Amino acid sequence: MTPPSALEAIRAEALAKYESLDWPARNEENWRFGSWKEANLSGLEPVGAGVGIDLPEAIEGAQRFVFHNAELVSGSADSVQLLAHAPELLPQTESRLGSPKLSALHRAQSQHGIVIKTDSGADIEIIHLVSGEGLLTPTVVIIADDGAKVRVLERFISTNDFDATTVLCGADLIAGEGTKVTYLVTQELNANSKLIRLADSRLEALAHAKQAVIHTGAKWVREETYSTVDGMDAKSEILSVAVPTTGQEYDQRTFQHHGARDTYSDLLFKNTLFGKAKTIFSGLIFVDDGAHGTDAYQTCRNLMMTNECEANSMPGLEINADDVKCSHGSTSARVSDEEIFYLQARGIDSKSARNLVAQGFSIEAIEKLEDEQLEALAIEVVARKFAAIE
Amino acid sequence: MSLIIENLHATVDGTPILKGLNLEIPAGEVHAIMGPNGSGKSTLSKVVAGHDDYEVTGGRVLLDGVDISELEVDERSRAGIFLAFQYPSEVPGVSNANFLRAARQARLPDGEEIDAVAFYKEMYAKMDELEMDRKFTSRSVNEGFSGGEKKRNEILQMMMLDPRYCLLDETDSGLDIDALKVVAKGVNSMRSEARGFLVITHYQRLLDYIKPDHVHVMADGQIVKSGGAELALELEKSGYDFLKQTA
Ligand SMILES: Nc1ncnc2c1ncn2[C@@H]1O[C@H](COP(=O)(O)OP(=O)(O)OP(=O)(O)O)[C@@H](O)[C@H]1O
Ligand SMILES: [Mg+2]
């Protein structure tokens, strides 16, 4: 009898945990306003082999990895490790934001992913081409050390318009001392798919990380972003741009955890809601006992393009230290008729005018990436969504 | 060829603001409107531009003989109406250049793409004419612009869009003396046989630079007096007291 591989052992343990836990249920604080029933993935089988489509234009200078569902079809594993070869690095996302069962399921099913571990630098583009009815559980682990400069782009793209694929993905970022990390995720799934994304990050002293997500696709998204700033002068920026319309619900929960003194975090979420879209934002800034001199900011802004959309915001703050600068706020505003009139008075039709305003609204967050290529891509993804609406 | 405003009545939330206004602006002429605060001057300009806060309860607007009363705001603009706003809107996140480009693109037939190089060249030339710094191309439309910068930006848009009839609503307010001259120069450079202007102002000074062919006084939603350029001087001297006497 051959001994089970390390990965299998991890999966077996996670499976046992998964089986012992309950699905999210009504009345759980972390699921307030949320569609907890959507999170019940029981009976869902892993998807089979995937297929390819024409790939989007590559990011210049980046090393590209392409997955067809769980299979890596392009990209050399010289500079990265495949998860299968480094199972001990499988993220142990603690899922403190309401989804321990989903997290256990992710671990139990984990079969593919990429581990980017570097002490010099890396520029990586990962494309997940997703298809098939069922569950897909990819993983990205980024471990940056010794002042490394890392840029990662991760895209989720459906290969057809109809398959209801559930993507349950894990992301784990460890930004070591003095590192600089920019990590952009774009979710461009089809309107029948779901995405559940459990993202953890830990920043050590003097690390500076920008994590951004763009959501334009999927019928339901649940995203839990837990970010720990754990070393002096670490700086964490968390950005999100979402453009849902009728039939789409985006549920995002965040936790900015300040575990050391003189740390900085800034979160900016921008939702543009069309049709009968629904969004939920719940964010907590948590400053540990002793994390003096923390600067923490949290802003969620909703631009409501119709009267039928629904934006729920639950900002929160818990401070256990002194000399702290914190602010949190959320705003919801309707698109301004005067702005639209102004643009129309220059000959721009009302749909284009609304899209210009909406795009302008999203750009405030996108610009914070401070990376020309990634910004251009983010704008392109968002613009494509605007063009497709109505 | 002219812009004809015929017996125009308009209300906002049921309150009448325009009460049977008649005005004809032939192409090639500059008409000025003066009048007390609240008399309906901005309302007139917005109604002609098609703002849907105002309900047109009577009358019509003819552009070179074509009734544009039923057209959307953007259609009127493309048909040749240009309104330089008294209070231009700010549009965060949309750069001035992209805005102008979208406005120009909207004037092209379907499937035709704007020539970006030629567009920028033209825009820069017009900005130079208006003594506008190049940095305004990448800044968001009017966002954080000073009052005078916004007004200059309106004129830039007017110059880029080549309209048939231009309505300038208090374009002089907020401009310093030098800026006033620059803006007036821009407007004068656009005067032609093919274009008409309606200039709304409170101050005769603007009319020293942009010489009107006719001056009208608006009060309580109507044109109550019309005359030549000398009427503006008269008003500057004696104000609107004559309105009360006749009332
Ligand atoms: N959207 C609106 N809602 C309510 N009242 C309005 C609206 N627009 C205009 N009015 C009212 O209509 C009247 C005319 O306003 P308008 O702005 O046209 O005056 P104006 O002649 O341009 O004045 P000013 O010289 O101060 O610019 C005012 O009493 C104003 O309060
Ligand atoms: Mg006015």
Side-chain angles (χ1 to χ4, degrees):
Chain A
M1 217 181 90
T2 46
S5 75
L7 181 56
E8 273 161 28
I10 287 169
R11 290 171 61 166
E13 192 194 322
L15 186 63
K17 187 170 174 198
Y18 161 76
E19 278 164 354
S20 74
L21 291 165
D22 292 325
W23 293 110
R26 194 198 303 277
N27 300 333
E28 277 181 51
E29 185 53 31
N30 277 316
W31 285 86
R32 227 174 131 206
F33 297 117
S35 298
W36 46 275
K37 282 181 188 159
E38 294 282 354
N40 189 324
L41 306 184
S42 56
L44 210 57
E45 294 293 325
V47 289
V51 296
I53 48 167
D54 286 346
L55 288 171
E57 209 178 308
I59 291 287
E60 215 183 296
Q63 211 188 335
R64 180 176 254 196
F65 296 85
V66 180
F67 287 94
H68 290 176
N69 284 350
E71 186 193 355
L72 180 69
V73 297
S74 125
S76 114
D78 290 347
S79 54
V80 301
Q81 283 176 288
L82 295 182
L83 189 66
H85 304 141
E88 69 283 1
L89 296 176
L90 188 63
Q92 181 87 40
T93 43
E94 287 175 47
S95 63
R96 288 158 286 200
L97 289 169
S99 299
K101 190 176 180 78
L102 290 163
S103 170
L105 177 62
H106 176 260
R107 262 169 93 71
Q109 295 271 342
S110 275
Q111 57 221 27
H112 76 289
I114 280 185
V115 178
I116 302 157
K117 192 170 188 306
T118 177
D119 53 14
S120 52
D123 189 3
I124 308 280
E125 180 186 11
I126 303 161
I127 298 190
H128 302 278
L129 294 182
V130 170
S131 61
E133 306 263 333
L135 182 65
L136 187 67
T137 51
T139 300
V140 166
V141 178
I142 304 167
I143 303 171
D145 265 319
D146 282 345
K149 200 164 169 244
V150 178
R151 179 171 80 157
V152 178
L153 167 66
E154 184 181 20
R155 299 177 74 169
F156 293 91
I157 299 172
S158 293
T159 60
N160 65 50
D161 293 338
F162 38 88
D163 282 350
T165 316
T166 298
V167 180
L168 170 57
C169 62
D172 200 20
L173 164 64
I174 299 171
E177 218 172 294
T179 54
K180 187 167 187 304
V181 179
T182 305
Y183 178 22
L184 171 65
V185 176
T186 66
Q187 181 273 113
E188 306 158 68
L189 296 173
N190 70 26
N192 293 328
S193 293
K194 289 186 198 179
L195 177 88
I196 299 161
R197 183 165 180 270
L198 308 174
D200 262 27
S201 63
R202 198 177 76 236
L203 276 60
E204 290 164 8
L206 295 160
H208 181 186
K210 287 177 196 271
Q211 304 177 66
V213 293
I214 309 286
H215 290 292
T216 58
K219 69 167 183 180
W220 184 70
V221 170
R222 167 81 180 190
E223 185 166 53
E224 301 179 5
T225 306
Y226 195 105
S227 149
T228 309
V229 261
D230 229 5
M232 261 172 77
D233 293 315
K235 188 173 174 197
S236 166
E237 289 178 75
I238 303 165
L239 305 164
S240 169
V241 171
V243 187
T245 184
T246 305
Q248 297 186 295
E249 176 177 326
Y250 296 162
D251 179 351
Q252 296 174 292
R253 316 269 161 164
T254 68
F255 201 113
Q256 291 157 265
H257 189 166
H258 286 257
R261 10 180 358 134
D262 299 322
T263 47
Y264 174 95
S265 75
D266 191 2
L267 176 147
L268 178 61
F269 275 37
K270 297 209 117 181
N271 298 321
T272 304
L273 295 90
F274 287 86
K276 294 179 182 150
K278 178 177 174 185
T279 60
I280 299 150
F281 169 77
S282 165
L284 185 66
I285 293 174
F286 191 97
V287 182
D288 274 358
D289 192 2
H292 307 300
T294 285
D295 275 2
Y297 307 96
Q298 179 198 88
T299 310
C300 174
R301 291 199 197 291
N302 302 305
L303 179 64
M304 328 276 279
M305 303 300 286
T306 65
N307 291 321
E308 292 105 54
C309 57
E310 174 187 337
N312 303 279
S313 300
M314 294 169 280
L317 199 58
E318 193 173 326
I319 301 175
N320 302 297
D322 306 320
D323 188 23
V324 162
K325 268 192 258 164
C326 282
S327 76
H328 65 134
S330 77
T331 56
S332 294
R334 302 224 170 267
V335 58
S336 144
D337 291 342
E338 285 312 310
E339 268 174 58
I340 300 300
F341 175 62
Y342 188 72
L343 295 170
Q344 277 192 273
R346 298 302 177 247
I348 299 166
D349 67 80
S350 85
K351 186 186 170 201
S352 306
R354 295 166 78 79
N355 287 351
L356 267 180
V357 169
Q359 194 167 323
F361 173 79
S362 303
I363 276 173
E364 189 200 346
I366 291 172
E367 277 176 349
K368 294 204 174 203
L369 278 167
E370 292 177 308
D371 178 309
E372 228 172 90
Q373 292 175 318
L374 295 187
E375 285 174 40
L377 172 76
I379 290 170
E380 182 196 315
V381 170
V382 166
R384 200 178 319 127
K385 177 64 180 268
F386 288 138
I389 285 170
E390 285 159 348
Chain B
M1 285 193 303
S2 59
L3 181 69
I4 298 176
I5 298 161
E6 207 176 79
N7 192 27
L8 195 60
H9 286 77
T11 62
V12 60
D13 299 332
T15 309
I17 312 281
L18 301 183
K19 303 172 180 174
L21 190 137
N22 291 293
L23 191 63
E24 176 169 358
I25 303 159
E29 292 188 5
V30 172
H31 288 234
I33 288 192
M34 303 180 83
N37 295 130
S39 55
K41 304 181 297 296
S42 294
T43 301
L44 169 64
S45 67
K46 287 190 201 172
V47 169
V48 172
H51 198 299
D52 66 6
D53 271 3
Y54 305 92
E55 193 190 341
V56 175
T57 49
R60 53 184 194 157
V61 179
L62 301 172
L63 192 156
D64 296 342
V66 179
D67 188 349
I68 59 167
S69 306
E70 297 299 320
L71 296 186
E72 291 295 323
V73 181
D74 53 299
E75 293 169 326
R76 295 183 195 208
S77 164
R78 296 196 298 271
I81 298 287
F82 183 90
L83 167 58
F85 285 74
Q86 182 174 6
Y87 303 109
S89 286
E90 302 190 354
V91 192
V94 179
S95 76
N96 231 0
N98 282 346
F99 167 52
L100 277 172
R101 208 174 144 160
R104 282 285 284 263
Q105 179 72 52
R107 286 162 168 78
L108 295 179
D110 263 353
E112 200 173 308
E113 273 295 316
I114 200 165
D115 176 347
V117 175
F119 166 78
Y120 271 93
K121 204 171 152 210
E122 184 185 340
M123 181 175 63
Y124 286 146
K126 295 195 159 138
M127 288 176 79
D128 289 349
E129 224 177 296
L130 292 170
E131 297 174 24
M132 278 177 86
D133 196 293
R134 297 272 161 99
K135 70 173 190 252
F136 287 106
T137 53
S138 57
R139 278 179 64 176
S140 292
V141 177
N142 295 330
E143 195 183 33
F145 285 28
S146 75
E149 287 164 353
K150 283 182 183 167
K151 295 303 176 72
R152 251 185 237 229
N153 204 28
E154 294 292 287
I155 300 305
L156 173 66
Q157 293 166 34
M158 181 172 85
M159 293 169 83
M160 290 296 288
L161 297 181
D162 193 26
R164 303 268 296 113
Y165 296 95
C166 308
L167 318 173
L168 310 185
D169 191 1
E170 293 198 29
T171 298
D172 52 334
S173 66
L175 290 181
D176 66 45
I177 297 161
D178 295 334
L180 183 66
K181 288 183 193 162
V182 170
V183 163
K185 199 176 92 196
V187 172
N188 287 328
S189 75
M190 289 186 68
R191 288 179 76 156
S192 84
E193 285 309 308
R195 194 167 2 247
F197 288 86
L198 178 64
V199 178
I200 296 170
T201 183
H202 285 297
Y203 305 105
Q204 134 73 22
R205 194 187 53 191
L206 174 70
L207 306 179
D208 284 341
Y209 298 106
I210 304 173
K211 294 263 186 292
D213 299 294
H214 298 273
V215 174
H216 309 275
V217 178
M218 184 163 176
D220 195 22
Q222 289 179 320
I223 299 296
V224 294
K225 194 170 181 175
S226 297
E230 73 291 343
L231 178 56
L233 288 164
E234 217 173 281
L235 292 169
E236 180 100 332
K237 227 183 296 150
S238 20
Y240 297 110
D241 268 356
F242 73 93
L243 292 172
K244 286 175 199 146
Q245 287 151 20
T246 54

